Amino acid sequence: MRPLLFVDFDKTLCFDNYWRSLEKNKFEKVESLLFRAENQLLADWLVGKRDYEEINKIVATRLEMPYESLWQLFVDDCRSMKVVDGALQLISEMKCDWRPILITDNMDCFDRFTAPALELENHFDLIVNSACYKMLKKDNDGELFKLCVKKLN
């Protein structure tokens, strides 16, 4: 049996951000609203208690932007994220010796827009996103990792 290779997405395979196409001052407001310090809004989104539409409504209100404009930018940014050059090819080449698993603390938009656009299912034996399982990788003594082992055995 091939050993499992766990790979994360954010800050491992990809360094892009959602809403990265916003003007700098608006992007900084989003960063401040969602991604700085401990943030319950982000925490809830990462475990599926909030969805991307709800979050975008909150962001649009905070930025005083029309929801439809922000929504389209968000979807486009999700679909156009870039992976580190050569990473997916290397992972695919390793599949003869390893069983690559993408396990990520991420949001519902990752499964809806990002993973399909990048065709990640072609490179990984399993993709596990915290938002779908309602828990982070660190929760319950790494229960998501145990779930991966169970699914692939």
Side-chain angles (χ1 to χ4, degrees):
M1 175 182 276
R2 294 173 294 150
L4 303 180
L5 173 65
F6 290 99
V7 180
D8 197 354
F9 186 77
D10 186 45
K11 307 297 182 262
T12 301
L13 287 180
C14 180
F15 292 83
D16 285 345
N17 297 305
Y18 301 131
W19 298 287
R20 69 188 174 282
S21 297
L22 283 169
E23 298 167 14
K24 184 179 180 186
N25 65 325
K26 289 184 178 183
F27 178 75
E28 288 172 353
K29 287 181 182 177
V30 172
E31 286 278 300
S32 180
L33 173 66
L34 293 174
F35 300 109
R36 293 211 175 110
E38 292 296 315
N39 183 309
Q40 194 58 49
L41 195 59
L42 175 63
D44 288 348
W45 193 16
L46 285 168
V47 294
K49 292 181 182 175
R50 293 181 182 259
D51 66 28
Y52 51 77
E53 291 175 345
E54 180 182 4
I55 296 295
N56 272 281
K57 287 176 185 170
I58 293 167
V59 171
T61 299
R62 185 66 59 96
L63 296 180
E64 300 176 346
M65 278 183 74
Y67 173 78
E68 296 75 21
S69 300
L70 181 69
W71 173 251
Q72 192 56 58
L73 178 140
F74 174 76
V75 171
D76 291 346
D77 281 359
C78 288
R79 288 182 173 151
S80 64
M81 294 185 113
K82 302 286 184 241
V83 172
V84 172
D85 285 343
L88 294 178
Q89 179 63 35
L90 178 61
I91 290 166
S92 290
E93 291 169 4
M94 295 173 74
K95 284 182 94 168
C96 59
D97 296 317
W98 296 85
R99 297 191 75 187
I101 300 169
L102 180 63
I103 184 168
T104 184
D105 287 340
N106 219 303
M107 299 83 161
D108 55 343
C109 53
F110 177 81
D111 291 327
R112 175 71 178 89
F113 305 114
T114 305
L118 293 171
E119 300 179 345
L120 294 176
E121 72 281 358
N122 294 334
H123 304 281
F124 294 93
D125 289 355
L126 181 64
I127 298 174
V128 174
N129 179 0
S130 63
C132 296
Y133 291 88
K134 312 287 187 224
M135 71 178 89
L136 301 173
K137 292 180 293 188
K138 67 178 184 170
D139 291 347
N140 305 323
D141 295 322
E143 186 176 339
L144 278 180
F145 290 94
K146 295 171 193 171
L147 192 133
C148 292
V149 171
K150 215 183 247 188
K151 280 187 170 235
L152 290 177
N153 285 331

